[in-house]
Amino acid sequence: MMQIDIMTLFPDVVGDMLCESILGRAQERGYIRVDCHQIRDYTTNKQNQVDDYPYGGGHGAVMQADPLYRCWAHIMEGCSEEERVRTIYMSPCGKTFCQADAIRLRDDYDRLILVCGHYEGIDQRFIDECVDEEISIGDFVLTGGEIPAMAVADAVCRLVPGVLSSPECYENESHWDGLLEFPQYSRPEVWHDRAVPSILLSGHHANVEKWRRKQSIIRTRDRRPDMYAKLDLSSKADKKLMKEIAAEEAAAMDENPEQN
């Protein structure tokens, strides 16, 4: 079972979100467990204050080290010696999270402690003493770490065996093998005069898989050239696909020269 502990000022909001739908059912079945911890419960003042002015001046406030440490220590007391535990601070200064990180965290650890910062951040001394790594979900800044923590928890938990019905549910998705996912279609067959590609109605599974591979390659090339540049398309099958893609695109340009 994968255990996720989230240190936050808004445990009800985070907990409610992660207890719905697929992750909620996975918790009921014992594949994962998500616990949210209110940092304010670990303060030592009557006002339950968790922040104060930054040394050196500046705007805003900084979350204090002591309430964070007390909350973290309480979680650690509940960990067994056998558990592989990782403490992660959700920070815009961290390494950008990707699918490979979700797989790594699932495979290498039994328990993740996700720390949600607020205001101008958290006291560096807590990071130095308790945090194993810092993770960002992109090159932008949010008002708090709850959304990033939920994103990381969701990305990791859905990879835990039993959470989804089959590994194929995530192995064919975007970013699993360096490609973006192919387009998906559902009923009805025609919607707003837009028809489902005929190949998907053929019942020929090999041709469907070939079409999907082509579409993934094209989509990755057009939308994420950074990912496309890292792809290994040297296999005989992929080389053949690349020739077919080039021929099909050339034919389409000849048919519609005005779009060139």
Side-chain angles (χ1 to χ4, degrees), residues 178-179 216-233 242 245:
L179 286 167
S216 287
I217 292 172
I218 293 169
R219 179 174 278 190
T220 305
R221 180 199 66 189
D222 294 347
R223 300 185 182 186
R224 291 293 302 273
D226 57 321
M227 292 173 58
Y228 183 77
K230 299 176 184 178
L231 287 177
D232 181 2
L233 301 173
M242 294 302 291
I245 290 171

Side-chain angles (χ1 to χ4, degrees), residues 84-135:
R84 300 170 297 171
V85 184
R86 188 76 165 171
T87 300
I88 301 169
Y89 171 42
M90 311 311 303
S91 165
C93 297
K95 174 184 177 292
T96 302
F97 186 72
C98 64
Q99 186 70 15
D101 292 310
I103 297 169
R104 170 178 62 87
L105 294 175
R106 178 202 63 177
D107 291 344
D108 294 352
Y109 303 100
D110 306 304
R111 189 165 188 163
L112 302 178
I113 302 174
L114 307 182
V115 183
C116 302
H118 268 273
Y119 315 120
E120 295 303 311
I122 68 178
D123 193 307
Q124 182 65 38
R125 291 170 294 184
F126 172 79
I127 298 173
D128 294 340
E129 184 159 337
C130 305
V131 171
D132 298 307
E133 68 176 290
E134 298 181 45
I135 283 180

Side-chain angles (χ1 to χ4, degrees), residues 117-227:
H118 268 273
Y119 315 120
E120 295 303 311
I122 68 178
D123 193 307
Q124 182 65 38
R125 291 170 294 184
F126 172 79
I127 298 173
D128 294 340
E129 184 159 337
C130 305
V131 171
D132 298 307
E133 68 176 290
E134 298 181 45
I135 283 180
S136 168
I137 62 168
D139 296 335
F140 51 88
V141 179
L142 300 171
T143 55
E146 282 73 21
I147 291 175
M150 288 189 285
V152 169
D154 190 297
V156 173
C157 286
R158 68 192 303 275
L159 301 180
V160 173
V163 173
L164 300 181
S165 59
S166 166
E168 292 181 358
C169 293
Y170 53 77
E171 289 176 354
N172 290 328
E173 292 179 327
S174 294
H175 304 288
W176 181 261
D177 58 358
L179 286 167
L180 298 182
E181 188 177 8
F182 47 81
Q184 296 277 17
Y185 298 87
S186 185
R187 291 173 176 76
E189 184 177 328
V190 178
W191 177 80
H192 287 198
D193 295 327
R194 298 175 183 270
V196 174
S198 59
I199 186 66
L200 300 179
L201 309 175
S202 68
H204 195 297
H205 297 299
N207 286 346
V208 168
E209 290 306 311
K210 179 180 176 182
W211 179 87
R212 286 175 169 172
R213 177 75 176 175
K214 278 186 182 180
Q215 295 302 312
S216 287
I217 292 172
I218 293 169
R219 179 174 278 190
T220 305
R221 180 199 66 189
D222 294 347
R223 300 185 182 186
R224 291 293 302 273
D226 57 321
M227 292 173 58

Side-chain angles (χ1 to χ4, degrees), residues 9-26:
L9 298 179
F10 304 98
D12 293 338
V13 175
V14 177
D16 288 347
M17 179 66 72
L18 295 177
C19 287
E20 294 293 332
S21 188
I22 293 172
L23 296 189
R25 292 193 293 272

